[in-house]
Amino acid sequence: MATAIVLFNRDLRVHDHPALAAACERAERVVPLFVLDPAVPEGNRRGFLLECLAELRAALRARDGDLVVRQGDVVRETMKLAAEVGVTTICASADVSSLARRREERFAGERIEYLLFPGVTVVPPDALRPSGGGDHYRVFTPYWRAWTRHPRRPVLPPPRAVRTPSGLAAGRLPRPQPPGPAPGGEPAARERADRWLRHGLDGYADGHDDLAGDRTSRLSPYLRFGCLSPLELACRAERSESFVRQLCWRDFHHQVTYAFPRIGRENYRHPERRWRQDPDALQAWQAGMTGLPIVDAGMRQLLAEGWMHNRARLITAAYLVRHLGLDWRDGVRHFFQHLLDGDVADNSGNWQWVAGTGNDTRPNRTFNPLRQAKRYDPDGHYVRRYVPELAGVPAPYVHEPWRLPSPPAGYPARLDSAADQG
């Protein structure tokens, strides 16, 4: 191939990038491209995304290339650039959302070679099939067994050179936004991964549910934007089955979404149930003002940091759908808006799991938030960190402030449950 476009999307890195590596190996000239498409929901991730793009541009320029940036519809802008430069091939990383699949279908209808490569997951979402039939695994445990046995492709080094055509207008990145709670980009991702693998990985199995201890990797935003290769991370973390299992869960949700792209809008399985409509309760949950401290701490962490501890995600989600009886899609939308790591597959898959409409083999399981709080935040340090109204409340009452002789100033009373509403 003479000239190839590498269309970046959720793969904003140069290390272990199969599409970029293939283009650099096979093409005489390579045009790295990212299109800022207003049709793609950004949520509160725009600042993080722009940092990722700036770092990617710097990495490509260090290899004598550049990142071309355009704004508009991804397919139209890519094809316009292809005609301008005389491109014969587009290389991209395959993805699973309905938006990504529609984009791939549109490219397939164009008169240009369109090649898809792995890189968004450890194992490609279409690589594993149940022995009993079906196009994907519906239960995690058998998927985990097949996933661990599946051969891995080699982790690829970054290209030494990216031969971008001279004279091509690279385009400006939008003005950077104020720094967010986590720095974006591949260098920050690799630095955090290196530190985590050295100092955090060995304690993950015992400490990942410790809400106050904050002993998880916090690498999920970098995986979501592809600043880190999930395959490289899985290989480097292989001494911790507990951590690698979480990467497998991520792959599991991606292969479910590949088979069922409507996962963010429709029940994956089980008939549609009647959800309550209660805008006031939903607003209180979103603001972290439900009167249940462990839920409010999680929701306020989300608003403050664009991230939430995984155990808190389970607790807050179960509270919305099980206790308040509100639609899981309300939770999907709010999390997707605020999470730096918000993506369709993981966000929707986890919400449907909690709601009992997804891949949980026990869809009617109970989930007591107060019991969870006392188990995973026994001294109340996590609650006090994010709910300042309870900063002075002693441990016996911090999770149940309604038991105090007088309620804490400024803290709301508990919301009624769906059962209380009848």
Side-chain angles (χ1 to χ4, degrees), residues 48-221:
F48 191 88
L49 168 63
L50 294 179
E51 290 181 358
C52 295
L53 293 175
E55 294 291 355
L56 177 60
R57 170 170 276 179
L60 292 167
R61 286 178 173 175
R63 291 163 173 82
D64 299 322
D66 207 341
L67 178 66
V68 176
V69 177
R70 296 291 186 263
Q71 299 194 39
D73 176 79
V74 172
V75 177
R76 283 199 297 269
E77 292 300 321
T78 303
M79 294 306 299
K80 186 188 302 183
L81 182 63
E84 175 187 338
V85 184
V87 166
T88 57
T89 303
I90 299 170
C91 300
S93 299
D95 210 342
V96 299
S97 71
S98 58
L99 187 66
R101 301 285 289 281
R102 287 197 300 272
R103 183 170 61 236
E104 292 170 4
E105 289 171 1
R106 290 176 62 194
F107 274 121
E110 298 287 345
R111 294 184 177 181
I112 197 167
E113 185 179 33
Y114 183 62
L115 303 178
L116 291 173
F117 295 83
V120 171
T121 53
V122 179
V123 173
D126 59 346
L128 301 177
R129 294 287 186 272
S131 58
D135 59 357
H136 70 290
Y137 281 85
R138 296 175 178 270
V139 179
F140 175 76
T141 301
Y143 178 77
W144 162 252
R145 289 195 291 265
W147 187 89
T148 55
R149 295 192 299 263
H150 188 73
R152 302 283 193 263
R153 63 174 178 82
V155 175
L156 301 173
R160 293 183 178 181
V162 181
R163 298 174 296 276
T164 301
S166 60
L168 181 61
R172 288 186 178 183
L173 283 170
R175 181 178 299 176
Q177 298 184 352
E186 186 176 15
R190 296 187 71 83
E191 180 184 353
R192 183 167 189 89
D194 289 345
R195 188 168 62 249
W196 160 254
L197 291 167
R198 286 196 307 270
H199 304 299
L201 181 64
D202 292 332
Y204 180 80
D206 294 329
H208 70 278
D209 277 324
D210 179 4
L211 284 162
D214 196 16
R215 296 161 65 184
T216 61
S217 72
R218 291 206 181 211
L219 292 173
S220 52

Side-chain angles (χ1 to χ4, degrees), residues 16 122 147 150-156 197 201 229-240 243-244 247:
D16 191 43
V122 179
W147 187 89
H150 188 73
R152 302 283 193 263
R153 63 174 178 82
V155 175
L156 301 173
L197 291 167
L201 181 64
S229 158
L231 173 63
E232 182 183 4
L233 183 59
C235 293
R236 296 182 66 190
E238 61 183 0
R239 69 180 186 270
S240 172
F243 184 73
V244 172
L247 296 174

Side-chain angles (χ1 to χ4, degrees), residues 272-279 281-282 285 290 315-331 351 354-355 357 367 369 415-422:
E272 192 65 58
R273 59 173 286 187
R274 294 183 62 185
W275 300 100
R276 283 201 317 125
Q277 299 294 319
D278 190 336
L282 177 62
W285 176 81
T290 68
I315 294 170
T316 55
Y319 179 84
L320 183 78
V321 298
R322 303 285 186 177
H323 184 81
L324 296 181
L326 302 184
D327 196 325
W328 59 269
R329 282 159 285 230
D330 292 329
W351 269 98
V354 172
T357 60
F367 206 84
L415 296 177
D416 291 335
S417 69
D420 295 332
Q421 295 286 334

